[in-house]
Amino acid sequence: MQSTSISFSPSISNPTSLSPSHVMYRYGSVNFFKTHPKLKYCSINFSSSKLNGTGSWVSVPSREPDGALSVRATSVVETTGEATKPVGETLYLGLLFALWYIFNIYFNIYNKQVLKAFHYPVTMTLVQLVVGTALIIFMWTFNLYKRPKINGAQLAAIFPLAVVHTLGNLFTNMSLGKVSVSFTHTIKALEPFFSVVLSAMFLGEFPTVWVISSLVPIVGGVGLASLTEVSFNWAGFWSAMASNLANQSRNVLSKKIMVKKEDSLDNINLYSIITIMSLILVAPFAFFMEGIKFTPAYLESAGLNVNQIYTRTLLASLCFHAYQQISYMILEKVSPVTHSVGNCVKRVVVIVSSVLFFSTPVSPINAIGTGVALAGVFLYSRVKGIKPKPKTA
């Protein structure tokens, strides 16, 4: 967290006539330096990951027992509703987290229902991107969200992110079509392992001993859960592993390839552009691999309920786009560590809800393995920000 340091030295000709000095603050430290023989130092330090609203530190002269003049800082909050704003923002953030979890749960449920009957994951990925692109164009057209101004250089920088984003979604759908939702998300708990390895290989960011320690229960828990998974098959397992590799490659690329953001290109618009580019990438691949299989005629010939497939596919696509957008909205409001912890809790919620909804058989050893892996993910999210102490000469 960056900090801002503000210092000032009031010009005082007569210390008894000191007038209040106002300093607008954001976060950091405020130092009052001695400008008069009888004026003592006063230092106020405060920190926060995010401070919102406006306020001021006001210096108030006071007399100490020895008669010397000191400066005491008091916090002044404007009477324009600032006292209730943090509560409102906290409630709003809580609502975002709740919606993030709910949309993710329903995406996995509807998506799994469709993929169990309609065994074409590439086509499903294409349909989800089509729905997402349609929503994005609708928002831009009716000014529900400001359309970004983007140049060719930015598109070239974003293109690699779109490629791995496409692969990540595609491999996730392939895994969900082969194994249970709970097992797919248990394997995806290995994302921190891939993040550490790729960061070390391509960014030169080597993990601390705390991070390495947190990976042990993750790898061990996933291995234990895999050995006892009823729905286990290698296609579903390796698809989920490939999804981990693609998703964490996206995170590494976003650090390695600096995308120059203009004022109109925030996180949500960046995701929107990636979605549109992913649609362009996956469309020819879907037609080449699976052909045109989402027509009413084909679904009827396969003995499927057309209305049911279309309805659940639409709901899954809407939930997919909604939870992705909300995830970016949350990331703009909280620190990456908080977002990572929230994502860990989200995975627990999705696993539990899918097990209950689909009545997935879970053995005691399987449950222990899943729990150990998720506990490792939570531990990783807490310790990855710990920096090693600098070596002193």
Side-chain angles (χ1 to χ4, degrees), residues 1-68:
M1 182 185 70
Q2 296 179 344
S3 64
T4 303
S5 180
I6 306 172
S7 63
F8 65 92
S9 302
S11 177
I12 306 173
S13 58
N14 183 3
T16 59
S17 61
L18 178 67
S19 60
S21 299
H22 298 264
V23 181
M24 298 303 295
Y25 72 92
R26 189 179 179 191
Y27 45 79
S29 61
V30 180
N31 299 310
F32 296 84
F33 293 95
K34 181 167 65 176
T35 59
H36 188 274
K38 294 184 177 181
L39 187 63
K40 291 187 176 181
Y41 292 102
C42 180
S43 177
I44 300 93
N45 297 306
F46 58 96
S47 61
S48 174
S49 59
K50 188 176 291 293
L51 288 178
N52 298 300
T54 59
S56 60
W57 286 107
V58 181
S59 58
V60 182
S62 65
R63 292 283 179 177
E64 290 191 338
D66 60 359

Side-chain angles (χ1 to χ4, degrees), residues 1 28 72 86 105 113 126 153-154 166 172 183-184 217 228 244 292 307 316-317 365 367-368 370 375:
M1 182 185 70
R72 183 177 71 253
I105 290 171
Q113 287 177 329
L126 174 63
Q154 287 177 309
T166 303
T172 297
F183 186 53
T184 295
T228 55
N244 287 337
I292 302 175
N307 290 333
S317 302
I365 297 178
I368 292 173
T370 301

Side-chain angles (χ1 to χ4, degrees), residues 63-117:
R63 292 283 179 177
E64 290 191 338
D66 60 359
L69 182 67
S70 66
V71 178
R72 183 177 71 253
T74 58
S75 176
V76 176
V77 181
E78 296 179 359
T79 58
T80 56
E82 286 294 320
T84 58
K85 187 174 181 180
V87 176
E89 289 185 352
T90 301
L91 293 175
Y92 177 66
L93 187 59
L95 176 63
L96 288 180
F97 271 96
L99 292 175
W100 187 25
Y101 294 173
I102 290 171
F103 283 129
N104 209 293
I105 290 171
Y106 279 102
F107 161 71
N108 282 278
I109 289 175
Y110 289 130
N111 202 33
K112 179 63 178 178
Q113 287 177 329
V114 174
L115 287 170
K116 285 176 65 177

Side-chain angles (χ1 to χ4, degrees), residues 126-238:
L126 174 63
V127 173
Q128 289 164 6
L129 292 171
V130 167
V131 173
T133 299
L135 287 174
I136 291 165
I137 294 175
F138 176 82
M139 289 190 298
W140 285 349
T141 301
F142 293 94
N143 293 321
L144 299 178
Y145 203 84
K146 185 179 179 181
R147 184 172 58 185
K149 296 178 181 179
I150 190 168
N151 54 44
Q154 287 177 309
L155 288 176
I158 295 172
F159 179 76
L161 302 178
V163 172
V164 291
H165 177 79
T166 303
L167 292 174
N169 292 331
L170 176 59
F171 285 125
T172 297
N173 280 337
M174 292 175 67
S175 180
L176 288 172
K178 295 292 184 180
V179 297
S180 66
V181 174
S182 58
F183 186 53
T184 295
H185 281 274
T186 299
I187 301 172
K188 286 174 72 66
L190 277 172
E191 283 184 349
F193 174 81
F194 286 90
S195 178
V196 170
V197 173
L198 292 174
S199 296
M201 291 175 59
F202 297 104
L203 300 178
E205 297 178 357
F206 295 97
T208 64
V209 65
W210 299 106
V211 169
I212 295 176
S213 299
S214 69
L215 296 179
V216 174
I218 296 176
V219 175
V222 171
L224 187 62
S226 300
L227 290 174
T228 55
E229 172 61 34
V230 176
S231 68
F232 179 88
N233 66 69
W234 287 109
F237 176 83
W238 287 116

Side-chain angles (χ1 to χ4, degrees), residues 6 58 168 170 191 264 272 297 310-311 315 329:
I6 306 172
V58 181
L170 176 59
E191 283 184 349
S264 59
S272 300
Y310 280 178
T311 300
L315 291 173
M329 292 171 65

